Amino acid sequence: MPKWLKTYLSGVLMGAADVVPGVSGGTIAFIVGIYDRLIHALSGVNKASVIMLFKGDIKGLWQHFDLGFLLVLAAGILTSIVSLAGIITHALSDYPIWVWSFFFGLILASAWMLAREFNLYNRKNVLSLFVGVVVGASLSMLVPMHISLSLSLVFFAGMIAICAMILPGISGSFLLLMMGLYGDILLSIKEFNIVVIAVFGCGALVGLLSFSKLLNWMLSRYRELSMAMLTGVMLGALVKVWPWKEVTDVMVVGDKQVPVSEALLLPWNLEHYSMFGDFLGPLCVLLLGLFSVFIVRFASNRIN
C-alpha cells in the first residue's frame, strides 16, 4: 500500500471516530502509528517557521510542517466526517446498543494498547492512571447543557473540541455533547452550512496550533505520566459508552428531549429484553470492535 493511501485511510478512521461522542480521533492515530508524527507536525509553529514564511520559503515550510502528510490526513478526516455524519446519527438513533457495543470494545482495546506505553509498576504512573479514571468517569457523568448557538460560541467550541480530538482518550464530540452543541454542529455539517463550518474550522485551527505545542512538550518531557493519565481517561469514559442503559430523566429543549440522567443496566435487566437483539448480537459487535483495534494495528505495522 502506498504511504499516502495509508495516511488517507488513517484520516478516514480518525474522522469516523471523531463523529461519535466517547471515541477520540487521537486514539485512532495512536493505534495506526501516526500519533507522534501528527503532534510533531502540528507543533511546528516557531521562530524558524515564521522566518521561512517572511522569506517566502514555501519548500522549507512544506517540509517543516510535513504538509504533504497533514493535507492527505485532513482529506481523509473530512471525507469521513461528511459522509458518515448522517449514517452514524441514524445508527445511534435506531440501533444504539449495537453502536455503543462496538465502540465500547474499540475503547477497551485501545486503552490496553495505550497502557503498553508506560510502566504499570511505577507508583507515579499508577497515580496518574487513577486520576485519569476519575476525570474520565466524572466527565462521562456530566449532565449535557444546552446553549444558544452563536458564531463566537461555535469558534470557541471548535478550539475546545479539536484539542480533545487529538488527545487519545478524550472525545471532542463528547465535549460538544456536554456543551449542548453536538446536534447543532452535526446538523450544520449534514446541511453544508458553510458559515458555521468555516467558523468552527477557524476555531479548530487556532486550537490545534496552540494546544499541539503544549501536548508535544508534555509527551517529550513526561511521556509515561501523560500516557498513564490518558489511558485512565479512556477507561473512565467507558461509563459513557456502556451499551445497556436506560434514560431516567430528560429535559425538553425546543422540540428536542435531551437526556439528563441514565441508569447503567445489565442487558437482561432491560425492559422488553431480547436474547439476540440486546445481548448476543451486541456482544458479538463488542468483540468485533475489540479485535478490529488489533487488526488495524497489525495491518499498520505490516505496511510500515
Side-chain angles (χ1 to χ4, degrees):
M1 181 184 293
K3 290 296 178 67
W4 69 267
L5 182 56
K6 180 206 168 182
T7 302
Y8 177 80
L9 293 177
S10 299
V12 170
L13 292 174
M14 288 178 64
D18 284 331
V19 172
V20 178
V23 185
S24 167
T27 301
I28 302 298
F30 181 82
I31 292 170
V32 298
I34 63 170
Y35 189 73
D36 286 334
R37 183 180 180 184
L38 173 63
I39 298 303
H40 181 72
L42 292 175
S43 61
V45 178
N46 52 28
K47 183 178 179 180
S49 64
V50 174
I51 292 174
M52 284 187 282
L53 177 63
F54 281 109
K55 286 184 176 180
D57 187 1
I58 304 301
K59 183 178 179 180
L61 283 172
W62 186 276
Q63 295 175 344
H64 180 79
F65 284 102
D66 202 356
L67 285 177
F69 165 76
L70 288 180
L71 290 175
V72 173
L73 187 70
I77 293 173
L78 290 175
T79 300
S80 190
I81 289 176
V82 171
S83 59
L84 292 180
I87 296 174
I88 291 181
T89 50
H90 171 74
L92 281 172
S93 175
D94 293 353
Y95 309 101
I97 294 178
W98 293 65
V99 175
W100 289 121
S101 294
F102 178 79
F103 285 106
F104 189 92
L106 182 71
I107 294 175
L108 192 62
S110 302
W112 180 85
M113 196 164 289
L114 206 63
R116 299 171 61 191
E117 294 293 309
F118 61 91
N119 182 7
L120 273 170
Y121 297 100
N122 183 293
R123 291 182 180 179
K124 291 182 179 180
N125 291 342
V126 173
L127 179 60
S128 183
L129 177 70
F130 176 76
V131 171
V133 170
V134 173
V135 170
S138 300
L139 286 173
S140 298
M141 291 184 287
L142 286 177
V143 176
M145 301 180 293
H146 188 83
I147 307 172
S148 299
L149 195 66
S150 66
L151 292 183
S152 58
L153 185 62
V154 169
F155 183 86
F156 176 74
M159 289 183 60
I160 298 299
I162 202 67
C163 292
M165 285 175 183
I166 61 175
L167 280 173
I170 303 179
S171 166
S173 296
F174 176 66
L175 293 186
L176 289 178
L177 183 68
M178 291 299 102
M179 296 171 65
L181 296 174
Y182 177 71
D184 294 322
I185 298 297
L186 211 59
L187 184 62
S188 298
I189 294 173
K190 289 167 62 178
E191 296 180 348
F192 292 99
N193 187 325
I194 302 300
V195 175
V196 173
I197 293 173
V199 172
F200 187 84
C202 290
L205 181 61
V206 172
L208 272 180
L209 295 178
S210 55
F211 182 69
S212 57
K213 293 186 73 67
L214 173 62
L215 184 56
N216 190 52
W217 178 82
M218 286 176 58
L219 291 176
S220 61
R221 294 289 187 90
Y222 307 103
R223 185 177 181 85
E224 288 204 4
L225 285 175
S226 300
M227 287 296 182
M229 180 169 288
L230 293 174
T231 302
V233 171
M234 291 180 70
L235 292 174
L238 289 175
V239 173
K240 181 65 181 177
V241 295
W242 178 254
W244 301 282
K245 50 197 170 188
E246 185 178 78
V247 176
T248 56
D249 192 14
V250 298
M251 63 179 178
V252 178
V253 181
D255 59 346
K256 301 177 183 178
Q257 286 191 337
V258 180
V260 173
S261 60
E262 296 174 326
L264 305 185
L265 304 172
L266 293 173
W268 42 84
N269 290 333
L270 291 171
E271 189 177 0
H272 309 302
Y273 168 70
S274 165
M275 174 64 78
F276 178 76
D278 292 325
F279 179 59
L280 293 179
L283 181 61
C284 291
V285 173
L286 189 153
L287 293 174
L288 177 64
L290 192 74
F291 288 114
S292 66
V293 172
F294 300 105
I295 293 171
V296 169
R297 187 58 182 263
F298 175 76
S300 178
N301 289 338
R302 289 295 297 270
I303 293 170
N304 288 336

